[in-house]
Amino acid sequence: MLVFLCNPGDVMAGPFVAELRRRHRLAAQIITPQELVYAPDMQHLLGEAETYSAVTLKTHGTLENASITGLVNRVDFLPDAHLANVNAADRTYIQQELLAIWSSWISALPCPVLNRPTAISIAGPVYHPAIWHHYAAAVGLPVAQVIYDADLPDPQTPAPVHSAIVCQGVCYSPTLPRELFAACCELAAYAGLDMVELLFGSGPGGTVFSHASPIPDLSQANANLIAQVAEIFRDCQT
Amino acid sequence: MILLAGLPNEPPLARVASALDELGLPYRTIDQRQHVNLHLSLDPAGDHGIPQGRLKSPEVEDIALEEVTGLYQRLHSDESFPELCNLPQDDPARLRFGRFVTLFTAFSDLCSGRVLNRTPGMGTNNSKPFQAQIIARAGFAIPRTLITNVPGRARKFVRDAEARGQEVIFKSASAVRSIVRAVTADDLARLDRLRICPVQFQERVEGRDVRVHVVDEQVFATRITTTGVDYRYASRDDGGSTVLEPFTLPPDIAARAVRLAQSLNLPLAGIDLRETPTGEWVCFEVNPSPAYSYYEANTGQPISEAIARYLAGY
């Protein structure tokens, strides 16, 4: 099974997954982080010859790590509604535990994962806006002149007017100048993200980098991007 | 310029300052207790790929960030400061403190000099099972570990371990409340609480503890003999004792420790090893911000000097 791990409000993941199933014949399923975190049975066994992980979901039954053939990670936080009656100190502790456990569980999957979590972020590598700005300038993307000051709120990023989605070295955008595509791919690689949306605004001299999201707006996805994602996971189907 | 940032009288920072003094190497110290008077600005795009900025502190001349060639940081959260920890989370003083630490950390990640340590390396300790996977890939054995939210699976794991004569401990999976405890009969009776959050159980590994500090490619190993489950807390919890002695690692294990620190992007790392009676080397975790001073003070191993030399570019 190809898992699309998405928040319940991720409405554009549905049509993307439907296309993967209908046009590309992939056994893709949407699973929410709620289904993982509230699963009645999870296990993560380390220290053997091979790591073994499994989770029993109310909706899809038991998924062992070997039965997940690919995962597209579109989750930026884990649910904690079940902790509403837990005191604040314990709630913070449990939130940290859940992040530590599920980031490891997903990372241990032997299949291809787009945006594998890190130990501190379920969504994959995350960066302060100043670091994105530095990386964007370093790869040759146009950037606005900004100064971050600890005594002031962070500078406003330019309002987005262009969007590009980069997926494993291929850049898609209907409006961004094509001469920026190579630098966009380099920025995604620099950031260690398999899939990322890069947003650009208008500066005095033209288009400038604004910010980035590891969870691209899939309403911007075209048929070529869907075909590329299908190709990434095609060989992994059982 | 070498920069030390944190609490100047905290032993790890103080010992590096002393080592720099003895080596005659100039450095500046940013005292986090002066947080109200610390000012930081950063131009991340900078000049020719080098971020530019200014750090103003009442005790030292303004520091040009682009001139920092070595940085040892042990920044503390607002919870460590009495004047901040009781304020509401959205109090302006607390928010400003957080902005300073966040921006300083961003600078440290972008700094072109030598930094102990940067965020990507520091972060792996936030998930011990995540880090354990990296440890295993580096060639060390890791303890047999089960994380589960099912009481029956946990009980079976404990029974199976006991059948092999092994005790089971539990410990947090995150970096929070990281105290190791043996699983008791009382714990087994209240496993239904696992439903709210899975728990990490681990087979206890018999053997001799060795703490390894890696500084770049130098290795300082310290053998620990203790009466406690967790030697860091043995004296406090059990009325027990802990003895620390310098130790020489087998060359292949020392090389493996250096490779592990490098794979975690940690030029400074505290690696917890245990040598089993059968000669296997098991690694429990890697501390990305090690309080090496405890080991140096007990053994005389020149760890702070190695850190000072690393910061100076030697």
Side-chain angles (χ1 to χ4, degrees):
Chain A
M1 177 195 290
L2 168 60
V3 172
F4 253 65
L5 190 59
C6 305
N7 289 312
D10 190 350
V11 292
M12 291 314 295
F16 195 102
V17 169
E19 279 293 279
L20 287 174
R21 281 200 296 253
R22 188 179 63 82
R23 189 179 295 271
H24 299 281
R25 306 291 176 199
L26 292 182
Q29 293 286 345
I30 288 179
I31 289 177
T32 66
Q34 281 75 7
E35 289 174 276
L36 290 184
V37 170
Y38 306 149
D41 185 345
M42 75 80 68
Q43 54 181 317
H44 188 31
L45 187 61
L46 303 156
E48 303 282 3
E50 288 186 359
T51 298
Y52 174 79
S53 306
V55 61
T56 300
L57 306 177
K58 290 176 180 167
T59 46
H60 295 87
T62 298
L63 293 179
E64 296 182 313
N65 52 350
S67 66
I68 298 174
T69 55
L71 187 140
V72 179
N73 181 17
R74 292 178 52 78
V75 168
D76 53 0
F77 65 91
L78 295 173
D80 58 3
H82 66 309
L83 306 178
N85 295 324
V86 176
N87 70 62
D90 284 346
R91 187 164 60 242
T92 301
Y93 169 68
I94 295 170
Q95 287 166 336
Q96 291 296 312
E97 288 291 290
L98 290 171
L99 172 61
I101 290 165
W102 284 106
S103 64
S104 177
W105 195 96
I106 297 168
S107 287
L109 291 173
C111 61
V113 174
L114 293 188
N115 292 354
R116 220 170 265 271
T118 70
I120 56 174
S121 165
I122 201 78
V126 288
Y127 302 100
H128 187 276
I131 295 178
W132 273 115
H133 195 91
H134 172 82
Y135 284 171
V139 300
L141 287 171
V143 295
Q145 174 74 28
V146 296
I147 302 290
Y148 287 82
D149 191 315
D151 293 308
L152 301 170
D154 280 353
Q156 292 278 333
T157 54
V161 293
H162 301 293
S163 158
I165 296 177
V166 176
C167 180
Q168 291 198 341
V170 183
C171 182
Y172 303 90
S173 175
T175 61
L176 189 71
R178 289 194 69 84
E179 61 266 27
L180 298 180
F181 279 23
C184 287
C185 294
E186 204 175 335
L187 178 57
Y190 225 81
L193 285 159
D194 301 301
M195 200 174 192
V196 62
E197 182 173 11
L198 305 175
L199 297 122
F200 294 81
S202 291
T207 299
V208 290
F209 175 75
S210 173
H211 60 282
S213 167
I215 303 176
D217 174 5
L218 291 181
S219 68
Q220 307 291 320
N222 62 20
N224 291 337
L225 172 60
I226 297 171
Q228 187 197 359
V229 171
E231 200 56 36
I232 289 168
F233 295 107
R234 185 177 309 286
D235 292 342
C236 310
Q237 297 296 297
T238 54
Chain B
M1 176 198 309
I2 294 172
L3 190 60
L4 309 182
L7 304 178
N9 60 352
E10 192 196 29
L13 212 62
R15 282 176 174 267
V16 170
S18 296
L20 289 165
D21 284 333
E22 285 174 22
L23 292 166
L25 296 167
Y27 64 95
R28 305 273 186 84
T29 302
I30 298 301
D31 183 353
Q32 215 184 351
R33 286 199 188 87
Q34 301 286 331
H35 60 86
V36 173
N37 297 313
L38 295 175
H39 304 278
L40 176 64
S41 62
L42 174 68
D43 169 6
D47 185 23
H48 293 90
I50 306 292
Q52 314 278 305
R54 281 284 179 279
L55 179 54
K56 297 173 186 281
S57 164
E59 294 170 349
V60 295
E61 281 180 40
D62 287 5
I63 293 168
L65 298 182
E66 57 275 19
E67 293 175 4
V68 175
T69 54
L71 169 61
Y72 180 39
Q73 54 178 344
R74 289 183 59 85
L75 296 184
H76 291 251
S77 79
D78 52 11
E79 293 293 337
S80 300
F81 296 86
E83 70 275 23
L84 294 174
C85 65
N86 292 320
L87 295 174
Q89 291 290 342
D90 59 354
D91 185 275
R94 219 164 167 164
L95 293 175
R96 184 192 176 280
F97 181 95
R99 277 201 306 274
F100 179 88
V101 170
T102 301
L103 191 56
F104 190 90
T105 304
F107 157 66
S108 72
D109 287 345
L110 296 176
C111 177
S112 58
R114 293 182 163 191
V115 177
L116 302 174
N117 282 315
R118 298 178 202 266
T119 307
M122 296 281 280
T124 62
N125 197 41
N126 279 40
S127 171
K128 296 184 195 310
F130 183 102
Q131 191 189 61
Q133 296 175 53
I134 300 171
I135 291 169
R137 286 198 290 273
F140 283 109
I142 56 173
R144 191 164 177 270
T145 302
L146 173 69
I147 299 170
T148 188
N149 62 348
V150 180
R153 290 193 194 286
R155 290 191 186 96
K156 181 174 186 308
F157 184 80
V158 173
R159 278 199 311 270
D160 290 350
E162 286 173 348
R164 287 196 299 276
Q166 300 293 330
E167 195 178 14
V168 171
I169 55 97
F170 62 92
K171 64 182 196 180
S172 62
S174 67
V176 186
R177 299 185 192 175
S178 183
I179 297 179
V180 180
R181 299 261 185 230
V183 176
T184 65
D186 284 349
D187 295 323
L188 290 175
R190 58 190 178 96
L191 282 177
D192 283 344
R193 294 184 190 180
L194 293 185
R195 295 292 182 194
I196 200 166
C197 180
V199 169
Q200 176 173 244
F201 299 90
Q202 210 165 69
E203 273 190 16
R204 188 174 182 183
V205 177
E206 295 299 325
R208 297 189 304 179
D209 282 313
V210 177
R211 172 62 173 250
V212 178
H213 289 97
V214 174
V215 184
D216 193 20
E217 294 188 344
Q218 287 192 74
V219 173
F220 301 91
T222 308
R223 187 167 68 189
I224 299 137
T225 308
T226 184
T227 57
V229 172
D230 185 338
Y231 69 83
R232 297 169 301 172
Y233 305 100
S235 305
R236 191 183 77 186
D237 292 353
D238 313 332
S241 64
T242 298
V243 175
L244 309 181
E245 309 164 274
F247 182 75
T248 302
L249 283 174
D252 59 323
I253 302 302
R256 199 179 297 171
V258 171
R259 279 201 307 275
L260 173 57
Q262 288 172 342
S263 70
L264 290 164
N265 295 312
L266 293 172
L268 172 62
I271 303 176
D272 287 325
L273 299 181
R274 188 167 290 170
E275 183 187 17
T276 70
T278 59
E280 187 177 33
W281 287 86
V282 178
C283 179
F284 294 98
E285 64 180 284
V286 182
N287 187 326
S289 186
Y292 73 86
S293 48
Y294 169 66
Y295 305 86
E296 181 174 272
N298 281 279
T299 64
Q301 292 167 300
I303 305 170
S304 56
E305 183 184 330
I307 294 172
R309 289 182 181 277
Y310 176 78
L311 292 172
Y314 293 168

